[in-house]
Amino acid sequence: MGSIIGAMGCSSSVADRRSENVIRAAILIQKWYRFTMARLEMRRRYSLSIFQSIEYADEQDQLQLSNFFTFMLDHCTHPESVSQIFTSPSAPQVVDEDLCLKEFEKKIDVPDSYYGPRLSFPLTVEDANALLHAFRNEQLLHARYVLQLLSETRRVLKEMPNITHLSTSYSKEITVCGDLHGNLDDLLLIFYKNGLPSEQNRYVFNGDFVDRGKNSMEILIILFAFLLIYPNDLHLNRGNHEDYIMNLRYGFTKEVSKKYKDHWKQILCLLRDVFSWLPLATIIDSKVLILHGGISDTTDLDFLNALERNKLKSLMRPPKSVRNRQDQMKKRIPTTKPSKHIANQHVAGKTQHISSSGFTEPPGSNLPPDPALKEWKQILDILWSDPRSQNGCTPNKCRGGGCYFGPDVTAKLFERYNLKMLIRSHEFKPEGYEISHDGKVITIFSASNYYEEGSNRGAYIKLNPELTPRFVQYQVSKFTRRRNLRERVGTIESSALKSLREKIYAHRSELISAFAQYDINGTGRISVNDWAAAMESVLQLELPWRMLRSQLAQMNPDGEVDFMSCFYDLKMGQPIKEAQPALAETLCRYRKDLEIIFNIIDKDHSGLISLEEFSQTWRLFTSHLGIDIEDDSIDKLVLSIDYNKDGHIDFNEFLEAFHVVHRLEKKATS
């Protein structure tokens, strides 16, 4: 009996030990899983921070480029090639407001070989369904129908107020969508999940329909078609990208010119007008304000509702009276020639902004009040501003336009207009939405996979009669589901670091100078803190540089950073021996800006411009930005790439020589 009890006790203790081991193993696995997930989340977050910082820096560059266009018009000896971006095109390109639908039929023939949708006006739901079907199959709508659609859209928009008022009493819910940025798949998925627009299924689309994505034109056509069919049930607000100068940089202009080679100028001319007629905001049940960007401490909804919104075709180019006013202010303030370091900061766009909050006049200024200035400031703020957690209203230096507004600014506006909620878009959010200011401000962002496949979800809001928001998230999944989380994060991280390294290489000389200030003994090594400080002082991206150090630079056994290792894996695309290092770096940094400028000068889109136009444009560009490059160096370079000596150069081929190549990637793919 004793032996039986002993055996039972032994087996019990063995079972207990096994149970303890299982629990320990489970705890270890759980700790490992949590640690792994935390590291993946950290990598995902800093990757998204890199993308967003570079995006905002690019917006500052766009402002700098817009300023240059104005400068170019004032100083170019042949300004007619540039003036087309600011003034009405020549007579054959103009789309007359009184041009009726029948006249488009006479002027533009649709061949029998065209198998896409054939629209007849007024449009029906069947027409909208035909468009959806065609775009799912990557068909184009013929230019005649595009122009007819845009002409009708302008006619309808002109009858709409600046601020649209809606009521939930006419339908159970209203759906609010944020930025789409040319991502057609997101719009199709929203309609699949939430239903097509109708009298019972009302929508508000809150701007930024275009740019960045490849199907901006298709999104506009679909939204405008439903607007014509249901003008009281589908509503559109203007975003900061419904702006023809923004479209030059971010892809929409290029998209239209490629898709509609024969009629792109007419389409863009008409779109410029259509964008200017888009309403500025929507208010639901007198309680929920919906606008694209945000507000400032001077936002006046009554003033916004009364101004002539179509006068401002682009916020990137303030009215002439505003520019004259700025010039008068500059003359009153004594200036000295900036140092090279300050000039470089100026070039990077860090010292310039068009924030209305930052637009101040010196004390004692006797300049008279300017209505055009107030209109520009008011619209600029609602299209460009972002919320922040701190009280107050300050210039939005990251974007270079609009302001940061705090909870106190929101509360003040709500009290004045008896509002309950502000819904805005304009900002990337990893989950597709974000709630701030104690639930009073909601950001909604509807473009999933915005930076990279798998980088974020999109979302839309459902508002019921009680005005309680319900969020619906989604993500277009072409490849994402085939990858595990580690692979998805790795792809996002790799893409973000690639963009950051290109930014680093484009500022190579400035970074080396900044590193040298800390490297007193000329060892080529500095501390991690000094390396991080130098990186931020030059790039001004507000990134966690210490965390990123292992991805960007090598460290020696003593814990110091070999700062030149930042550039080891990068080089210029196709080195041209005539290009001096300083010149090559400058061309690399401003490659995107120069491409936009040269495409404007290239009227016939042949890809060729004359040596004279190239040289003059380059001198104006460097003069405006304060870049110190000797004239003879660019002259020698230009002559060297005129291969057939006909006095013209292929500028796209030329600029391709100044892009950054990642050596490790090149080896991997070869």
Side-chain angles (χ1 to χ4, degrees):
M1 185 71 177
S3 61
I4 294 173
I5 294 173
M8 289 177 63
C10 182
S11 63
S12 177
S13 62
V14 170
D16 288 343
R17 283 198 297 272
R18 284 178 180 172
S19 179
E20 287 176 10
N21 289 337
V22 168
I23 293 171
R24 287 198 188 106
I27 291 172
L28 285 173
I29 291 170
Q30 190 177 57
K31 285 182 177 179
W32 170 84
Y33 177 78
R34 287 176 177 172
F35 177 76
T36 302
M37 294 303 292
R39 283 187 62 84
L40 285 173
E41 179 61 17
M42 179 187 70
R43 288 169 56 195
R44 188 180 77 95
R45 288 190 181 188
Y46 77 59
S47 298
L48 297 179
S49 295
I50 291 170
F51 279 128
Q52 195 162 47
S53 296
I54 292 175
E55 177 187 354
Y56 289 172
D58 198 48
E59 288 180 347
Q60 293 187 25
D61 291 343
Q62 171 61 31
L63 169 61
Q64 188 71 54
L65 183 61
S66 302
N67 292 339
F68 171 68
F69 286 146
T70 302
F71 177 83
M72 196 173 180
L73 281 171
D74 295 336
H75 295 83
C76 191
T77 55
H78 301 289
E80 65 278 359
S81 60
V82 185
S83 62
Q84 60 176 305
I85 67 170
F86 294 131
T87 57
S88 297
S90 56
Q93 299 163 20
V94 171
V95 181
D96 185 17
E97 287 199 26
D98 298 323
L99 196 62
C100 68
L101 299 175
K102 293 292 182 184
E103 289 186 58
F104 280 120
E105 291 182 19
K106 296 175 186 175
K107 290 175 179 289
I108 304 174
D109 182 53
V110 180
D112 294 336
S113 58
Y114 170 71
Y115 290 105
R118 293 177 180 265
L119 304 183
S120 58
F121 295 84
L123 293 182
T124 64
V125 176
E126 288 71 26
D127 291 315
N129 285 327
L131 289 170
L132 290 168
H133 177 76
F135 295 155
R136 285 192 189 99
N137 292 288
E138 300 183 356
Q139 289 181 309
L140 281 180
L141 181 65
H142 193 276
R144 180 214 280 179
Y145 303 122
V146 173
L147 287 166
Q148 288 179 315
L149 179 72
L150 295 179
S151 182
E152 283 293 280
T153 300
R154 178 174 61 183
R155 180 183 60 78
V156 170
L157 289 175
K158 287 174 70 174
E159 300 300 318
M160 293 183 173
N162 293 352
I163 299 178
T164 308
H165 286 263
L166 304 179
S167 172
T168 55
S169 62
Y170 296 106
S171 62
K172 293 181 180 178
E173 290 183 309
I174 295 177
T175 302
V176 183
C177 300
D179 301 34
L180 288 167
H181 279 301
N183 290 340
L184 178 61
D185 288 338
D186 286 312
L187 180 61
L188 297 177
L189 185 57
I190 291 169
F191 286 163
Y192 174 77
K193 292 173 70 72
N194 196 59
L196 295 176
S198 68
E199 292 176 355
Q200 293 75 38
N201 193 22
R202 307 169 83 191
Y203 279 89
V204 177
F205 286 89
N206 199 24
D208 278 13
F209 319 119
V210 302
D211 280 333
R212 303 188 191 279
K214 64 179 183 179
N215 294 115
S216 297
M217 197 68 222
E218 286 77 9
I219 285 176
L220 286 182
I221 291 169
I222 291 170
L223 293 181
F224 291 163
F226 277 112
L227 175 70
L228 295 180
I229 298 167
Y230 300 111
N232 298 317
D233 305 296
L234 183 133
H235 302 274
L236 306 174
N237 288 340
R238 185 177 183 178
N240 66 309
H241 278 264
E242 279 66 64
D243 182 310
Y244 71 98
I245 294 182
M246 290 289 284
N247 301 153
L248 286 166
R249 185 183 196 89
Y250 293 103
F252 182 51
T253 299
K254 196 170 187 177
E255 177 189 333
V256 175
S257 65
K258 282 188 173 182
K259 290 179 177 178
Y260 296 96
K261 292 182 172 62
D262 295 330
H263 299 92
W264 66 273
K265 290 183 181 179
Q266 287 176 290
I267 291 171
L268 287 175
C269 177
L270 190 45
L271 274 168
R272 184 190 310 185
D273 214 22
V274 170
F275 286 166
S276 72
W277 281 109
L278 286 167
L280 301 174
T282 302
I283 296 179
I284 298 178
D285 291 345
S286 302
K287 293 294 182 183
V288 179
L289 173 63
I290 306 171
L291 42 75
H292 181 71
I295 58 176
S296 74
D297 52 3
T298 61
T299 294
D300 185 335
L301 297 183
D302 298 323
F303 183 82
L304 282 165
N305 198 38
L307 57 77
E308 295 180 54
R309 67 181 185 268
N310 67 301
K311 288 197 300 185
L312 278 173
K313 304 294 192 228
S314 173
L315 291 167
M316 292 289 94
R317 191 168 188 258
K320 187 172 178 58
S321 60
V322 175
R323 301 198 302 276
N324 292 340
R325 197 180 189 88
Q326 291 170 327
D327 291 339
Q328 290 179 47
M329 288 167 54
K330 287 177 184 176
K331 290 176 182 177
R332 297 183 182 198
I333 302 172
T335 57
T336 57
K337 190 173 182 180
S339 66
K340 186 174 182 182
H341 177 66
I342 294 175
N344 284 334
Q345 285 187 322
H346 178 80
V347 165
K350 304 299 180 184
T351 59
Q352 289 201 40
H353 51 75
I354 54 171
S355 167
S356 65
S357 300
F359 189 95
T360 56
E361 296 181 0
S365 171
N366 295 319
L367 296 175
D370 182 5
L373 169 61
K374 185 176 181 181
E375 291 175 355
W376 173 69
K377 287 168 62 175
Q378 288 282 321
I379 298 178
L380 183 75
D381 280 340
I382 64 169
L383 298 192
W384 276 86
S385 298
D386 294 311
R388 67 170 188 175
S389 56
Q390 297 85 3
N391 281 335
C393 185
T394 57
N396 192 331
K397 293 181 179 179
C398 283
R399 289 188 188 270
C403 69
Y404 293 117
F405 64 98
D408 58 327
V409 177
T410 299
K412 180 182 174 184
L413 188 86
F414 280 22
E415 182 180 359
R416 179 178 177 182
Y417 294 103
N418 194 25
L419 297 169
K420 176 183 176 181
M421 187 188 305
L422 168 62
I423 298 177
R424 42 90 63 179
S425 303
H426 190 46
E427 248 185 314
F428 164 87
K429 297 299 174 186
E431 296 303 316
Y433 73 94
E434 185 177 82
I435 303 172
S436 56
H437 293 188
D438 297 321
K440 294 178 181 177
V441 175
I442 297 174
T443 299
I444 192 74
F445 194 82
S446 299
S448 68
N449 306 309
Y450 180 61
Y451 291 126
E452 181 63 54
E453 180 76 26
S455 64
N456 66 288
R457 296 180 182 181
Y460 54 86
I461 300 173
K462 304 280 288 182
L463 276 180
N464 60 21
E466 288 74 39
L467 301 180
T468 304
R470 179 168 64 90
F471 302 97
V472 180
Q473 296 170 289
Y474 55 85
Q475 189 164 23
V476 174
S477 302
K478 290 185 176 179
F479 309 107
T480 309
R481 289 180 180 175
R482 302 176 195 170
R483 302 173 182 164
N484 59 39
L485 180 61
R486 187 186 295 274
E487 290 171 335
R488 294 201 298 271
V489 171
T491 300
I492 298 167
E493 181 184 47
S494 175
S495 181
L497 290 171
K498 179 180 178 182
S499 298
L500 181 57
R501 290 188 184 108
E502 290 172 4
K503 194 89 174 170
I504 289 169
Y505 193 86
H507 292 78
R508 188 173 186 271
S509 298
E510 288 174 76
L511 284 168
I512 291 173
S513 297
F515 294 145
Q517 292 179 11
Y518 293 102
D519 184 23
I520 300 172
N521 298 321
T523 62
R525 301 185 299 274
I526 56 178
S527 70
V528 175
N529 284 341
D530 290 344
W531 177 84
M535 294 290 283
E536 183 56 32
S537 69
V538 172
L539 299 177
Q540 298 184 37
L541 293 175
E542 298 182 4
L543 290 173
W545 295 110
R546 289 173 60 87
M547 184 187 298
L548 292 169
R549 196 278 316 157
S550 62
Q551 300 282 2
L552 301 174
Q554 298 172 7
M555 182 182 285
N556 69 7
D558 297 330
E560 292 183 312
V561 178
D562 174 4
F563 55 78
M564 289 303 294
S565 64
C566 293
F567 316 110
Y568 284 172
D569 296 331
L570 304 167
K571 68 174 184 177
M572 204 70 74
Q574 302 168 17
I576 296 176
K577 62 181 180 181
E578 289 81 1
Q580 299 173 358
L583 174 59
E585 185 179 320
T586 302
L587 287 166
C588 174
R589 185 186 306 185
Y590 297 107
R591 195 166 66 92
K592 185 183 288 187
D593 293 336
L594 291 168
E595 181 183 3
I596 296 166
I597 294 165
F598 293 148
N599 270 305
I600 291 168
I601 295 172
D602 177 28
K603 291 182 185 178
D604 60 358
H605 276 238
S606 64
L608 301 173
I609 59 173
S610 71
L611 298 184
E612 180 187 358
E613 286 176 323
F614 184 99
S615 296
Q616 184 188 39
T617 303
W618 173 255
R619 288 188 176 91
L620 285 172
F621 189 71
T622 54
S623 170
H624 178 62
L625 298 184
I627 302 169
D628 186 19
I629 298 290
E630 295 178 5
D631 287 346
D632 62 339
S633 62
I634 192 67
D635 289 339
K636 290 177 183 176
L637 179 61
V638 170
L639 288 171
S640 71
I641 56 177
D642 179 16
Y643 301 117
N644 57 3
K645 306 303 177 187
D646 66 348
H648 289 78
I649 62 171
D650 183 330
F651 63 85
N652 286 312
E653 184 177 320
F654 165 69
L655 292 174
E656 185 63 21
F658 296 96
H659 78 282
V660 178
V661 172
H662 300 252
R663 294 178 181 175
L664 294 180
E665 291 180 14
K666 192 172 182 181
K667 289 177 183 176
T669 56
S670 60

